[in-house]
């Protein structure tokens, strides 16, 4: 149980990182699966590896853009359909199916003993792609403002010197 708490804490900290200056790459075909746990019991939920076309990846950090929305999809499913509110949900993804399968096997090895694993099939729950291109203008242009605004020092350097 201690390992589960530490893993979830580390994942939450990682998920809290922002992608303020990086550009999104074009939508990609992703292979993802969800993992959900609670601090109240030892039951974990894990989805099948799913082929999601149209996922956006940050070019700088290689993180899934709007990953919290994918986690929210799973959280909503568990709360409404499986009557399991308050679960901490995490989404694992990769652009290659083999890499996603490797992540899946590694995670399953960690939780094979001591936990009640509940599998969620694709027929029960499927991730819907989040369309990043339809995000508000200010979010889609993240990072452009910093490039456009020069510091006072840079502006002085651009001005021709008087002789």
């Amino acid at each position: 149980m201690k390992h589960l708490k530490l893993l979830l804490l580390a994942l939450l900290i990682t998920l809290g990182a922002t992608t303020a200056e990086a550009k999104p790459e074009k939508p990609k075909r992703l292979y993802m699966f969800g993992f959900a746990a609670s601090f109240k019991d030892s039951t974990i939920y894990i989805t099948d590896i799913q082929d999601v076309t149209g996922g956006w990846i940050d070019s700088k950090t290689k993180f899934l853009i709007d990953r919290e929305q994918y986690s929210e999809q799973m959280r909503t499913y568990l709360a409404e359909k499986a009557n399991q509110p308050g679960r901490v949900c995490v989404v694992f993804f990769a652009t290659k199916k083999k890499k996603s399968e490797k992540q899946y096997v590694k995670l399953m090895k960690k939780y094979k003993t001591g936990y009640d694993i509940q599998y969620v099939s694709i027929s029960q729950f499927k991730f819907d792609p989040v369309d990043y291109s339809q995000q508000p203008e200010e979010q889609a242009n993240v990072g452009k403002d910093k490039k456009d605004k020069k510091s006072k020092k840079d502006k002085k350097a651009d001005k021709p010197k008087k002789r």
Side-chain angles (χ1 to χ4, degrees):
M1 193 62 146
K2 185 177 180 181
H3 294 330
L4 176 65
K5 288 179 183 178
L6 290 174
L7 174 70
L8 291 175
L9 180 61
L11 290 172
L12 288 174
I13 290 170
T14 302
L15 293 175
T18 61
T19 56
E21 291 187 42
K23 293 180 183 177
E25 292 181 3
K26 292 180 181 176
K28 294 190 174 216
R29 181 179 196 175
L30 301 174
Y31 299 93
M32 64 174 56
F33 64 93
F35 172 87
S38 174
F39 293 111
K40 295 178 182 177
D41 63 27
S42 62
T43 303
I44 63 168
Y45 291 84
I46 191 160
T47 68
D48 290 334
I49 296 174
Q50 301 178 16
D51 181 355
V52 179
T53 304
W56 293 77
I57 297 178
D58 186 301
S59 63
K60 195 173 194 177
T61 63
K62 303 298 182 201
F63 271 25
L64 179 64
I65 295 178
D66 290 331
R67 59 198 172 279
E68 64 278 351
Q69 290 185 23
Y70 290 102
S71 296
E72 186 59 36
Q73 289 177 24
M74 187 172 177
R75 189 176 300 109
T76 301
Y77 164 78
L78 290 172
E80 293 176 1
K81 305 286 188 211
N83 198 23
Q84 293 294 322
R87 296 272 162 185
V88 177
C89 299
V90 180
V91 176
F92 293 85
F93 73 96
T95 55
K96 306 276 187 219
K97 189 169 186 174
K98 281 192 175 203
K99 187 173 179 182
S100 188
E101 288 169 347
K102 203 172 182 181
Q103 290 173 328
Y104 191 89
V105 168
K106 187 177 178 181
L107 189 68
M108 292 309 296
K109 280 183 182 177
K110 268 188 180 172
Y111 294 101
K112 191 161 93 172
T113 56
Y115 295 94
D116 178 23
I117 301 171
Q118 299 293 316
Y119 296 97
V120 180
S121 69
I122 293 177
S123 62
Q124 295 172 303
F125 169 75
K126 182 149 177 58
F127 288 108
D128 293 322
V130 176
D131 189 3
Y132 183 76
S133 65
Q134 300 300 317
Q135 296 296 324
E137 178 92 15
E138 61 190 46
Q139 236 182 343
N141 292 325
V142 170
K144 288 186 178 179
D145 293 339
K146 288 188 178 183
K147 290 178 186 173
D148 293 341
K149 294 179 182 177
K150 291 185 175 181
S151 68
K152 290 179 183 178
K153 199 176 198 180
D154 292 338
K155 286 181 183 179
K156 285 180 182 177
D158 289 345
K159 288 183 182 179
K161 293 183 180 180
K162 294 181 183 178
R163 293 183 186 213

